[in-house]
Amino acid sequence: MDYQTMPDFQKEALNFVAKSGYIRKAFFFDYLSSASVSSKYKNWGRLIESGLLDSYKSTFYGEDTYKLSKRGKRILANYGIEPVSAAYPNQFDHDDAALKFALSNQKVGIINSDWQGDRSLRAKPSDDLKSIFGSANYKLPDLLFSISGLSEKLTGVLEIERTRKTESKYLDFISAYKDADNISLILIAYNHNSVKVNLEKAINRRLFPIDDKPIGFCKLIDMIADPVNFEIEFGDYKIQFSKYINKLRNLEAKEQSNNMDGAKSTQDSLGVPQ
């Protein structure tokens, strides 16, 4: 078997693991297989039997959690795809949230398929990262993504803040995104309200340009429950994520119909209610 001759569902699964570091059966069933229930089970069985994946072999991590096998890595390498290293089980909860956001929003057409997790980004040369973020003072996010349906690329990041950090860490966090010229939208999913409070203090201390580059906050539990329609907050303004993206698209379409500079005006209005 080589990459070019394998079934499409196996290619898609391998491509996913190549940039995520692991795959769960739930990810395959919900996002990477056909709509037919019988086909999902059949294709999952064929994928496991193919020898392309190795189980993490611990019920503590989930019986249906897999990483690339030596064979899977070799097939990808022969095709010119360099996979990321296998995910660490103690990071599964964190990574699950980011991947579910990415897969859910890609499936409904909110973001493009070019999203990258922190594991993929860490594997890139420093010069490539400077180019991506538009700054040498970059911070690797948990997820880098681009919004679909806009005429000009709009790049966003998702940061998952599960634990509290020091004041200096929050200041460094905000400073890095203030310098990141190529990032237009920052989403922060937090576990504790104190995280939001302290990041807002850092935003004020660093004079962060939130009118040009909005920072949206959401509760992590809400994003996990509904990765498409969770509520985000821009200051006192609250809106569902999917509706926010539709607002951007509608705003651009309206401005373009009026012969305005739609891409620039849309990005300048990212966090402003219309």
Side-chain angles (χ1 to χ4, degrees):
M1 176 192 294
D2 62 29
Y3 181 87
Q4 290 178 296
T5 60
M6 69 174 55
D8 287 343
F9 74 87
Q10 289 187 352
K11 290 180 184 177
E12 192 166 1
L14 254 65
N15 285 333
F16 173 75
V17 186
K19 67 177 182 177
S20 67
Y22 73 111
I23 187 172
R24 291 191 184 277
K25 181 179 179 181
F27 291 162
F28 183 84
F29 272 46
D30 292 343
Y31 308 107
L32 304 174
S33 189
S34 65
S36 166
V37 175
S38 60
S39 293
K40 290 178 190 291
Y41 281 98
K42 178 181 177 181
N43 290 341
W44 177 253
R46 291 173 63 189
L47 178 63
I48 300 306
E49 292 169 3
S50 69
L52 299 170
L53 304 175
D54 279 341
S55 172
Y56 274 87
K57 298 177 182 177
S58 172
T59 56
F60 179 77
Y61 305 140
E63 294 180 355
D64 296 319
T65 307
Y66 293 80
K67 56 189 174 183
L68 285 172
S69 66
K70 291 182 179 179
R71 184 186 187 199
K73 293 176 184 177
R74 183 176 66 252
I75 288 174
L76 286 173
N78 289 340
Y79 191 67
I81 298 174
E82 185 66 32
V84 301
S85 58
Y88 294 107
N90 63 355
Q91 296 177 340
F92 281 164
D93 286 345
H94 182 279
D95 291 350
D96 280 357
L99 292 172
K100 191 174 180 182
F101 171 92
L103 290 168
S104 296
N105 285 288
Q106 179 185 333
K107 184 176 182 179
V108 299
I110 287 178
I111 70 172
N112 295 308
S113 61
D114 60 353
W115 56 267
Q116 299 177 75
D118 63 345
R119 199 168 285 106
S120 292
L121 292 169
R122 282 199 300 269
K124 293 183 178 298
S126 177
D127 286 345
D128 288 356
L129 293 171
K130 291 177 186 177
S131 176
I132 289 172
F133 293 98
S135 169
N137 180 34
Y138 57 80
K139 178 192 181 301
L140 295 185
D142 294 310
L143 190 76
L144 180 78
F145 60 90
S146 61
I147 303 296
S148 66
L150 296 174
S151 62
E152 186 169 311
K153 187 173 183 179
L154 191 159
T155 301
V157 296
L158 171 67
E159 292 280 9
I160 298 172
E161 295 295 308
R162 297 175 61 88
T163 57
R164 300 177 180 89
K165 295 182 174 66
T166 63
E167 179 182 357
S168 63
K169 290 287 187 182
Y170 289 129
L171 290 170
D172 290 344
F173 179 108
I174 295 302
S175 293
Y177 283 120
K178 182 178 180 179
D179 294 340
D181 293 336
N182 294 341
I183 303 301
S184 302
L185 173 66
I186 299 108
L187 299 180
I188 301 173
Y190 61 90
N191 248 355
H192 305 283
N193 192 61
S194 62
V195 172
K196 178 174 180 285
V197 170
N198 285 303
L199 278 170
E200 288 175 331
K201 290 179 181 177
I203 288 169
N204 292 328
R205 286 188 61 184
R206 288 292 185 252
L207 302 177
F208 191 91
I210 56 175
D211 289 338
D212 299 324
K213 189 187 301 185
I215 296 180
F217 289 92
C218 70
K219 295 179 180 178
L220 178 58
I221 190 172
D222 292 342
M223 190 193 75
I224 292 173
D226 190 341
V228 172
N229 298 307
F230 62 94
E231 184 177 79
I232 53 177
E233 299 180 25
F234 298 98
D236 295 329
Y237 179 53
K238 300 179 181 180
I239 187 173
Q240 287 182 344
F241 180 64
S242 59
K243 291 182 178 179
Y244 175 68
I245 299 304
N246 285 333
K247 186 190 80 165
L248 295 184
R249 293 169 176 164
N250 292 338
L251 179 62
E252 181 185 71
K254 180 179 179 181
E255 290 170 343
Q256 287 182 338
S257 70
N258 293 331
N259 296 318
M260 295 175 62
D261 183 2
K264 181 179 185 301
S265 298
T266 299
Q267 293 199 26
D268 285 348
S269 304
L270 281 169
V272 179
Q274 299 290 326

